[in-house]
Amino acid sequence: MNFPISPIPKNPLGEGRYIKTAAALIIGDEILNGNTLDRNSNYFARFCFENGIELQKIEVIADDELEIIEASRRMVQKYDFVITSGGIGPTHDDITYASLAKSFGQELKYHDETIMRMEESSRHRTWITQQSEEQRTARRRMALFPEAGEVLLVASDIWVPVVRLEGKLCIFPGIPSLFQKLLDNLKPFLPLPTEDARPFRLQVFTPLPESSIAPFLTALQNRVKPENIRIGSYPLLQPGAHIALIGLDRERVKELGLEVEKELQGRILSAEETEAMIKVKRQ
């Protein structure tokens, strides 16, 4: 498949503005009852950090119309960029599109281009020809969107679009592989911060226990708080901890990293070590 990509629309936040804050609304009974592990919020958190967006909230709710309506309205009012994950399949409990349409006073409407891509992507599958009309109708529900939504076709090899409402709320599937690919491909469609507005993170390993480093870190955080630099401490199972320093001034963060390294008998981790550590934490 090689579907055309949607043209890049105007900045939905207004010319000269960019996304500063974000929130994730994870929808699904299967997340709340432990049947499915939520990987999408973690991936979204990394996406936000790497692109200079402050993710301020992650909320998990049931497949419940009233909960979806309340949470979506509240988040769109408060944050620049909101994503939903889950509830856009063909079954009875997939109510995200319909609930969000009600949330923002819209009717539902079939999107012909999405239906065409859906059919094209599965035309070689034998089970398609064996479906009843009722089953085909259920499948087409996945192309029944809030009528005023922007349908962003962001991937040439995936028929599933990202539907954006109110210029802020983007609707994603819950399947992690689809979620991740669509989110990555959505980047050109988002008014992201410039490079100099994105934070820099430095990690320092110390063999000392947290109780021993707590007084120094408390004093350090108080000292650098006016500089908008954040200090975090993350203990390990064995003795020791990882110290994270995050700020916009890359050189100042590096300078503080050297101070932490010296005071806490530590070692600054390389970018490769930091990435490997993050991957381990995600498993």
Side-chain angles (χ1 to χ4, degrees):
M1 293 180 291
N2 189 24
F3 298 126
I5 303 298
S6 295
I8 305 298
K10 291 183 179 180
N11 184 341
L13 299 182
E15 199 62 38
R17 296 184 61 195
Y18 62 85
I19 296 170
K20 296 180 180 179
T21 61
L25 183 60
I26 309 300
I27 301 170
D29 294 345
E30 68 278 10
I31 303 295
L32 291 171
N33 63 30
N35 187 59
T36 300
L37 177 65
D38 169 37
R39 299 183 184 277
N40 295 341
S41 60
N42 177 264
Y43 195 86
F44 184 61
R46 292 196 66 196
F47 176 90
C48 287
F49 182 85
E50 291 167 0
N51 288 284
I53 301 168
E54 184 178 357
L55 177 59
Q56 295 186 344
K57 193 175 190 64
I58 297 173
E59 189 169 330
V60 184
I61 63 174
D63 293 301
D64 180 271
E65 181 182 279
L66 293 180
E67 287 194 44
I68 294 172
I69 290 173
E70 187 280 326
S72 61
R73 287 176 177 171
R74 169 169 42 85
M75 287 182 167
V76 163
Q77 286 183 341
K78 189 170 183 180
Y79 305 105
D80 300 325
F81 179 34
V82 180
I83 62 106
T84 69
S85 166
I88 62 171
T91 57
H92 69 283
D93 57 347
D94 290 309
I95 61 170
T96 297
Y97 286 137
S99 299
L100 291 174
K102 286 187 179 181
S103 182
F104 299 104
Q106 300 179 28
E107 298 296 324
L108 290 168
K109 183 179 180 181
Y110 285 107
H111 189 254
D112 293 338
E113 176 68 17
T114 299
I115 292 175
M116 184 278 292
R117 294 181 182 216
M118 180 196 303
E119 293 175 347
E120 176 64 22
S121 67
S122 56
R123 64 188 176 92
H124 297 299
R125 299 178 183 177
T126 56
W127 56 265
I128 287 292
T129 60
Q130 300 168 358
Q131 284 194 322
S132 67
E133 183 57 36
E134 186 177 18
Q135 290 169 328
R136 287 193 291 271
T137 299
R139 191 160 184 265
R140 285 195 294 269
R141 285 186 64 227
M142 294 188 287
L144 189 58
F145 307 144
E147 61 181 350
E150 292 177 84
V151 181
L152 304 175
L153 297 154
V154 302
S156 62
D157 57 345
I158 299 176
W159 66 263
V160 181
V162 176
V163 179
R164 181 162 61 189
L165 302 177
E166 305 295 303
K168 291 184 174 183
L169 187 149
C170 291
I171 307 169
F172 286 86
I175 299 171
S177 59
L178 275 178
F179 176 92
Q180 293 171 17
K181 183 159 188 174
L182 290 172
L183 180 61
D184 290 340
N185 285 2
L186 185 67
K187 282 181 66 173
F189 297 82
L190 299 174
L192 296 174
T194 58
E195 288 288 342
D196 59 357
R198 300 179 185 184
F200 172 66
R201 172 165 49 195
L202 187 70
Q203 302 267 8
V204 181
F205 167 75
T206 173
L208 302 176
E210 275 202 304
S211 56
S212 297
I213 66 177
F216 170 77
L217 292 182
T218 299
L220 179 63
Q221 179 64 88
N222 290 335
R223 175 155 53 92
V224 302
K225 188 174 182 179
E227 301 176 61
N228 291 319
I229 294 175
R230 291 177 289 172
I231 313 292
S233 174
Y234 309 98
L236 305 173
L237 289 177
Q238 66 270 28
H242 284 126
I243 313 301
L245 300 94
I246 300 174
L248 292 176
D249 188 335
R250 179 180 292 259
E251 294 307 314
R252 178 59 173 148
V253 171
K254 288 182 178 179
E255 178 184 327
L256 291 169
L258 292 172
E259 180 182 345
V260 171
E261 183 180 51
K262 178 182 177 181
E263 294 293 331
L264 300 183
Q265 305 169 29
R267 179 176 63 84
I268 293 176
L269 301 180
S270 67
E272 292 75 19
E273 288 176 306
T274 298
E275 182 65 24
M277 181 187 70
I278 291 173
K279 285 183 179 179
V280 169
K281 288 181 178 179
R282 291 168 61 198
Q283 294 175 352

